């Protein structure tokens, strides 16, 4: 997952790693702040874009305990991530499309579609039923799993754009697995950004851009690093192969649960987080 067709030199999807790899403590056009395990990389202008290979926007990296040992999502992470997500979404955001990008048959690439299993879809609920349930402020949420080009013959961006043209969402939240240049960040990092995505470019498989430029509505991207280049591990230049953690199934499942529930908590603030989990978990 990469954030523009013009920025393809990085073999990582994490903006914080792109900044670190620049080997500079300060870059004109890039602002970096760190607080309470959260690193925010803000690309401010074209100079910043060129320096780290990421388009203008905000990239927020949250350090979390390894999903391998994850047993309880109700430990403060839900509120932390949902608050970050809320700040990235448009102020008026009552109709949201959540798109899970990736291949359900490949565990390291299944984060997006698995996340959709934990997102509460509500667009089909009528206003009358909402009132009867006591949830007048229930936001409209739709979900879609786009599959992959080899299965569908259709680009994920094309599928999402078609749906956007029909349901006219306020914004799109896209969830996708990420590539990292550090083994330490596999399954221990979540990145959120307001710039959209370019699926697959972190692993050299460049696909159509999914962003406000292509969809006409704001796009927020969320992901977790699940693969790292063998070149990082071997200390070699060869970046043609990627590996995953041994416990990738655990990382993907628990990561999908946390992201999906964070989306729910962010959007449906009138419902208790435990009740939300009972509805989707």
């Amino acid at each position: 997952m990469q954030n523009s067709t013009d920025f393809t030199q990085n073999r990582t999807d994490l903006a914080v790693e792109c900044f670190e790899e620049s080997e500079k403590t300060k870059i004109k056009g890039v602002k970096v702040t760190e607080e309470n395990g959260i690193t925010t990389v803000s690309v401010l202008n074209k100079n910043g874009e060129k320096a780290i290979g990421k388009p203008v926007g905000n990239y927020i990296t949250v350090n979390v305990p390894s999903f391998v040992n994850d047993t309880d999502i109700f430990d403060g992470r839900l509120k932390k991530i949902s608050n970050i997500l809320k700040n990235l979404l448009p102020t008026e955001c009552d109709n949201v499309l959540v798109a899970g990008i990736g291949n359900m048959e490949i565990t390291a690439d299944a984060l997006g579609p698995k996340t959709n299993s934990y997102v509460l879809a509500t667009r089909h609920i009528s206003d009358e039923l909402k009132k009867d349930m006591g949830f007048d402020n229930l936001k409209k949420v739709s979900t879609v799993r786009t599959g992959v080009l080899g299965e569908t013959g259709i680009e994920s961006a094309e599928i999402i754009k078609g749906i956007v043209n029909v349901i006219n969402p306020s914004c799109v939240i896209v969830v996708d697995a990420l590539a990292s240049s550090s083994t330490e960040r596999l399954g221990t990092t979540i990145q959120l950004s307001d710039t959209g995505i370019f699926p697959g470019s972190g692993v050299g498989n460049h696909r159509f851009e999914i962003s406000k430029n292509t969809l006409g509505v704001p796009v927020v991207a969320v992901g977790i690093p699940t693969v790292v280049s063998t070149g990082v591990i071997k200390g070699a230049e060869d970046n043609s192969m990627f590996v995953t953690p041994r416990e990738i199934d655990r990382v993907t499942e628990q990561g999908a649960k946390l992201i999906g529930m964070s989306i729910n908590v962010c959007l449906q603030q009138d419902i208790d987080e435990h009740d939300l989990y009972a509805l989707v978990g």
Side-chain angles (χ1 to χ4, degrees):
M1 178 164 112
Q2 178 88 3
N3 293 279
S4 174
T5 55
D6 294 327
F7 307 104
T8 58
Q9 73 270 31
N10 298 320
R11 299 309 292 267
T12 173
D13 292 312
L14 299 178
V16 66
E17 290 185 341
C18 295
F19 176 79
E20 292 169 349
E21 289 171 3
S22 68
E23 298 182 353
K24 298 177 182 178
T25 56
K26 291 184 179 180
I27 299 175
K28 187 176 180 180
V30 179
K31 180 181 178 181
V32 180
T33 60
E34 297 183 31
E35 184 177 1
N36 297 325
I38 300 175
T39 302
T40 301
V41 177
S42 298
V43 180
L44 306 175
N45 53 36
K46 292 292 183 181
N47 187 75
E49 287 185 344
K50 183 178 180 181
I52 70 169
K54 293 287 184 180
V56 168
N58 299 296
Y59 305 83
I60 302 171
T61 304
V62 184
N63 296 325
V64 296
S66 173
F67 289 111
V68 174
N69 303 315
D70 189 14
T71 58
D72 181 16
I73 63 173
F74 301 102
D75 58 359
R77 286 176 296 168
L78 276 179
K79 289 185 178 179
K80 176 186 284 189
I81 296 169
S82 64
N83 285 337
I84 294 171
L85 185 59
K86 181 180 178 182
N87 290 330
L88 291 174
L89 294 175
T91 303
E92 299 296 330
C93 197
D94 295 325
N95 183 8
V96 179
L97 172 64
V98 180
I101 308 298
N103 190 340
M104 196 68 170
E105 302 303 317
I106 301 176
T107 306
D109 195 35
L111 178 70
K114 280 183 176 291
T115 294
N116 277 34
S117 300
Y118 292 101
V119 176
L120 181 64
T122 60
R123 182 173 175 269
H124 60 293
I125 301 176
S126 67
D127 292 339
E128 183 179 354
L129 182 55
K130 290 179 186 178
K131 185 175 181 180
D132 291 342
M133 295 167 59
F135 297 130
D136 293 355
N137 297 321
L138 196 69
K139 294 185 183 297
K140 294 181 180 179
V141 178
S142 310
T143 72
V144 61
R145 297 175 179 177
T146 63
V148 291
L149 184 64
E151 293 179 323
T152 65
I154 309 172
E155 290 279 0
S156 294
E158 295 172 326
I159 293 173
I160 296 171
K161 186 173 179 60
I163 296 173
V164 166
N165 289 340
V166 173
I167 70 173
N168 298 312
S170 308
C171 68
V172 175
I173 299 174
V174 180
V175 183
D176 194 11
L178 308 179
S180 174
S181 61
S182 167
T183 56
E184 287 77 15
R185 286 194 168 103
L186 297 179
T188 64
T189 301
I190 299 175
Q191 177 176 269
L192 303 93
S193 70
D194 58 7
T195 59
I197 69 169
F198 188 46
S201 65
V203 293
N205 182 26
H206 310 296
R207 304 259 54 95
F208 289 1
E209 180 180 351
I210 303 172
S211 69
K212 186 176 181 178
N213 291 334
T214 58
L215 300 184
V217 297
V219 178
V220 172
V222 187
I224 294 170
T226 59
V227 298
V228 64
S229 165
T230 54
V232 172
I233 299 172
K234 297 178 180 179
E237 294 295 327
D238 181 15
N239 290 322
S240 59
M241 294 184 63
F242 290 80
V243 295
T244 68
R246 182 174 54 186
E247 306 87 350
I248 186 59
D249 53 342
R250 179 75 175 173
V251 170
T252 302
E253 183 65 33
Q254 294 301 107
K257 183 187 298 184
L258 178 59
I259 293 175
M261 277 299 298
S262 296
I263 292 172
N264 293 333
V265 171
C266 171
L267 298 177
Q268 313 299 359
Q269 297 186 16
D270 289 347
I271 306 178
D272 179 79
E273 59 187 30
H274 291 85
D275 292 336
L276 284 167
Y277 185 65
L279 291 170
V280 300

